[in-house]
Amino acid sequence: MFRERVSNNIYVFTSEIYAQVTAGAIVTQEGIILIDSLPFPTESREMATFLARTNSPGVRYVVLTHYHADHSYGAYLFPNADIVAHAKCRDLLIKHGEPALKAAQAEEPELDEVTLRSPSITFDEGDLSLQLGGRVVRLIHTPGHTEDSIMAYIEDDRVLFASDTVMPVPTIADGDTDALRASLKKVIDLPIENLVQGHGEVILRGEVEVVVEASLRYLNTIEKKVAKAIKSGKGKEWLQRIDIESCGLSRIPLNGLVQQIHEANLVTLYERMIKDK
Ligand SMILES: [Zn+2]
């Protein structure tokens, strides 16, 4: 796990085991607000150990930015914290999260000790502000990557935990392209010093707009290319010819995962467009 401090008492933890997934912490005199929790117990525990050594009474809230395993599994290590999420996160954890955890545990003994924590504080409209020790963390619903996706914004520090709304390649296989576009536009509207992506490196102020614009352009491009393929009667296999570079992004980040996500995006769009025809 890689740890960095991005602002006064705001930390980012990046996994070295799984796809550079990130978690964050806002440390205050009255307790800690954790944003996501990493997937594997070794790293989640490493993060918990670091936080226990700060002069704060402990983790008070764990915000889950969405129900996906790589963001939510570590929450079980903070039994005294309230879990905060979008209302849909709760439903999705029960519906998809529980069976997925059982399947993952069968493959990965390290996950045996993981149990899913269900959110106890939820919101479904507008924003939700968490206030603790003089810090304010604004949670903003940003569907698109998933229905329940949220971002966490610390206005005083201009730090945005964008979660998977911003990552090296937008991911829509479990989400919705139009919703993701609208959520990406919400990102550009915020004044940002540091943007913490759901996966990958922290993005600094000067690059935020460039990165978000590239994501928007990517979504528009894949839609156009897939629509054209369908119109000219191409089969699903043909989609393999649409390489990610021709859609304006690089396949290099996240050790090959970006390429897999890109392929899944194309197939998802293809299937959706064929169905709507
Ligand atoms: Zn995700």
Side-chain angles (χ1 to χ4, degrees):
M1 186 191 73
F2 174 70
R3 184 185 79 232
E4 62 194 304
R5 184 183 154 281
V6 290
S7 189
N8 186 23
N9 289 318
I10 302 181
Y11 299 91
V12 176
F13 309 92
T14 306
S15 175
E16 288 169 311
I17 306 175
Y18 181 75
Q20 284 174 267
V21 62
T22 61
I26 299 101
V27 178
T28 83
Q29 297 291 331
E30 287 171 28
I32 296 165
I33 300 174
L34 193 63
I35 316 288
D36 285 339
S37 55
L38 303 177
F40 285 104
T42 38
E43 290 189 323
S44 302
R45 203 170 275 122
E46 206 182 313
M47 179 171 76
T49 306
F50 168 77
L51 294 173
R53 288 196 194 117
T54 59
N55 56 359
S56 170
V59 176
R60 179 87 170 270
Y61 299 111
V62 179
V63 172
L64 297 183
T65 62
H66 59 300
Y67 79 100
H68 283 167
D70 46 341
H71 299 260
S72 60
Y73 278 3
Y76 80 99
L77 286 170
F78 307 95
N80 299 321
D82 275 311
I83 308 293
V84 187
H86 191 270
K88 290 200 172 113
C89 178
R90 208 190 146 92
D91 306 339
L92 290 166
L93 277 171
I94 294 167
K95 195 171 159 207
H96 302 301
E98 291 288 358
L101 174 61
K102 289 227 165 59
Q105 283 170 329
E107 304 260 302
E108 190 65 67
E110 200 202 336
L111 295 174
D112 276 351
E113 62 184 79
V114 174
T115 50
L116 293 186
R117 298 268 331 268
S118 189
S120 50
I121 302 173
T122 63
F123 68 110
D124 50 21
E125 270 178 50
D127 303 350
L128 176 76
S129 285
L130 291 176
Q131 316 238 6
L132 190 65
R135 305 300 282 266
V136 184
V137 178
R138 180 147 63 95
L139 305 180
I140 307 165
H141 186 209
T142 45
H145 171 69
T146 56
E147 242 188 311
D148 65 331
S149 287
I150 60 174
M151 321 191 274
Y153 183 55
I154 303 100
E155 199 159 345
D156 285 341
D157 301 78
R158 300 185 166 196
V159 173
L160 178 70
F161 287 90
S163 187
D164 291 355
T165 299
V166 181
M167 54 187 289
V169 59
T171 307
I172 47 105
D174 189 23
D176 178 84
T177 317
D178 288 335
L180 185 54
R181 260 192 288 261
S183 292
L184 284 163
K185 285 174 189 156
K186 281 191 195 172
V187 172
I188 303 186
D189 289 343
L190 296 168
I192 294 169
E193 235 10 89
N194 295 276
L195 185 152
V196 183
Q197 308 185 82
H199 298 259
E201 280 156 21
V202 174
I203 297 168
L204 301 178
R205 183 179 56 187
E207 303 161 74
V208 170
E209 213 173 313
V210 177
V211 168
V212 173
E213 293 292 351
S215 290
L216 287 166
R217 219 172 310 119
Y218 169 83
L219 291 173
N220 296 342
T221 308
I222 58 172
E223 264 183 350
K224 271 193 211 129
K225 285 183 188 274
V226 172
K228 202 172 153 197
I230 291 173
K231 216 174 153 197
S232 47
K234 303 278 197 283
K236 215 192 282 181
E237 336 67 58
W238 191 88
L239 299 174
Q240 288 169 4
R241 300 191 190 186
I242 305 175
D243 64 45
I244 190 166
E245 284 78 13
S246 74
C247 305
L249 295 177
S250 159
R251 72 184 68 209
I252 292 168
L254 311 183
N255 297 324
L257 185 65
V258 165
Q259 180 59 22
Q260 280 175 43
I261 293 172
H262 170 65
E263 287 166 17
N265 285 342
L266 295 173
V267 170
T268 304
L269 277 183
Y270 187 93
E271 285 167 353
R272 285 179 191 164
M273 285 180 186
I274 287 275
K275 222 170 100 200
D276 293 345
K277 241 172 109 180

